[in-house]
Amino acid sequence: MPFVISANRLEDGVVVYLTQTDEWSVNVADARVVTDDDLDCVQNIGLDAEGRNHVVESYAVEVGASGTVLPSRLRERIRSHGPTVGDHQSRLAHNSEG
């Protein structure tokens, strides 16, 4: 089962994801995807970042096994992509075009 590590940036509360280079990105597509075997290691990286006051509440988020990084649960999709109603989704699409 694939996972990514998510947290909230302490500075502004924005949702962030742990990347391959142990940085934090606001884009879930940049997240490091790990399996059960590597989960303990990357969770420790999140805990270390909490200890240095970079992020709060780091935890593992299950993602789909397809080629794109998409959280499996609706709550996590909303955290990563915003509300599922209104014009937020069209604004996201517009912003990603350029």
Side-chain angles (χ1 to χ4, degrees):
M1 181 176 313
F3 295 93
V4 298
I5 299 298
S6 181
N8 290 85
R9 193 167 44 206
L10 186 59
E11 179 179 298
D12 54 12
V14 171
V15 175
V16 290
Y17 300 91
L18 184 66
T19 69
Q20 289 287 345
T21 58
D22 297 344
E23 302 288 327
W24 295 91
S25 172
V26 297
N27 190 344
V28 70
D30 296 337
R32 176 193 310 188
V33 178
V34 299
T35 62
D36 291 331
D37 296 338
D38 298 323
L39 192 53
D40 286 342
C41 178
V42 291
Q43 284 181 317
N44 286 334
I45 295 170
L47 292 173
D48 182 59
E50 287 182 32
R52 291 182 284 121
N53 292 326
H54 292 168
V55 299
V56 293
E57 298 294 324
S58 65
Y59 62 96
V61 174
E62 183 181 334
V63 295
S66 66
T68 61
V69 181
L70 181 64
S72 298
R73 295 184 182 263
L74 178 60
R75 176 185 185 275
E76 297 303 330
R77 287 185 201 157
I78 292 170
R79 285 184 77 235
S80 67
H81 293 95
T84 59
V85 296
D87 67 345
H88 183 77
Q89 293 299 318
S90 64
R91 281 185 279 144
L92 281 176
H94 176 74
N95 289 340
S96 68
E97 291 172 359

